[in-house]
Amino acid sequence: MSITALELISRAMTDAGFSRPSETQIATLDQPGNKAFYALLKAINILTQQTPDWGWNENELTTVTVAGNVAPAINSTCNVNIIFWVAIDTTITQLKRVTREWLVKEIFPGVSDPTTKGKPQYWYVQSEAVKVWPPPDAVYTLTYGFQKLPQTFTADDVGSTTLNINDEAIAILQGMVAIFILEQYGGAGRAEYLKTQIVDMNNPYSLLRMAVRNNKLEEKKDRAKFRYPQYYRRSRMV
């Protein structure tokens, strides 16, 4: 799913009891909409840094190998640290992700020549590049999945900036921005209710709890607990 930054800010403002802001109001300093814009940037930064593997939709790209070249041309715009998987050929056989150190310790001693070419079976990250082993002996098609993080945008771009995020991430960002606005401008009952749901704006586990319990995502609770058990353990969810 995707949503424009303008729509996400508008939803958060509505949750906080404000009218939907115009793009002009968002671009005007000291307006609530402008403060909501900066709150959204902060929220995105928090989620990206503290829970980088959660929320952003997965994308796929393909590339081809060159015989003997262990570093396939993975798109340079992809952060190699958030590439999830690499598969090979039309059968989409997923390569096993390992470390270079593991290969040297566990695999290389059992082969006569680690530089011998063959069909890649493993992939690893080294020097900010994705590499495969064995070195390819032919042209193979690689498919890889990665997260597309939000691009940099300004208050003037909210209407044209689309955030490529899933439903849970929308709920969390929306809640974070709403809380920020309520903290800035007050808001009686609604503010107090939301504040009981988000204990700390900088705590992604509290935010995850809010998204699951209070944004009509109960049906996704079991899936979320299975996929992100570390978050539930830390936040003592039951």
Side-chain angles (χ1 to χ4, degrees), residues 36 45-46 48 55 58 69 95 98 101 117-118 121 129 135 143 147 169 172 186 196-197 205 209 221 234:
N45 185 58
I46 291 171
T48 302
E58 190 172 305
N69 186 354
L95 305 186
V98 298
E101 292 74 16
K117 299 180 183 67
Q121 301 176 47
T143 304
Q147 286 180 316
I172 285 181
T196 64
Q197 311 307 311
Y205 310 116
R209 183 167 64 249
K221 182 174 181 179
R234 294 182 187 181

Side-chain angles (χ1 to χ4, degrees), residues 9 32-33 37 43 58 65 91 98 113 122 135-136 151 213 219:
I9 290 172
F37 161 74
E58 190 172 305
T65 64
T91 57
V98 298
D113 182 4
Y122 304 96
Q151 69 276 34
R213 290 182 176 175
E219 69 278 10

Side-chain angles (χ1 to χ4, degrees), residues 14-18 175 178-199 210:
T14 300
D15 286 348
F18 287 76
I179 285 295
F180 177 84
I181 292 300
L182 289 168
E183 289 176 339
Q184 293 291 306
Y185 295 97
R190 180 62 177 171
E192 292 306 313
Y193 168 74
L194 287 179
K195 287 177 182 178
T196 64
Q197 311 307 311
I198 304 181
V199 177
M210 182 210 73

Side-chain angles (χ1 to χ4, degrees), residues 135-181:
D137 60 353
V139 174
Y140 297 98
T141 298
L142 297 180
T143 304
Y144 54 100
F146 66 99
Q147 286 180 316
K148 183 178 180 182
L149 296 179
Q151 69 276 34
T152 301
F153 60 97
T154 69
D156 295 317
D157 303 326
V158 292
S160 59
T161 296
T162 299
L163 301 177
N164 185 40
I165 53 181
N166 60 34
D167 290 344
E168 292 94 335
I170 290 174
I172 285 181
L173 292 175
Q174 186 174 326
M176 293 173 78
V177 174
I179 285 295
F180 177 84
I181 292 300

Side-chain angles (χ1 to χ4, degrees), residues 6 21-29 31 33-34 155-156 158-159:
L6 174 61
S22 66
E23 293 184 55
T24 300
Q25 290 172 327
I26 291 175
T28 303
L29 291 177
Q31 288 289 316
N34 184 255
D156 295 317
V158 292

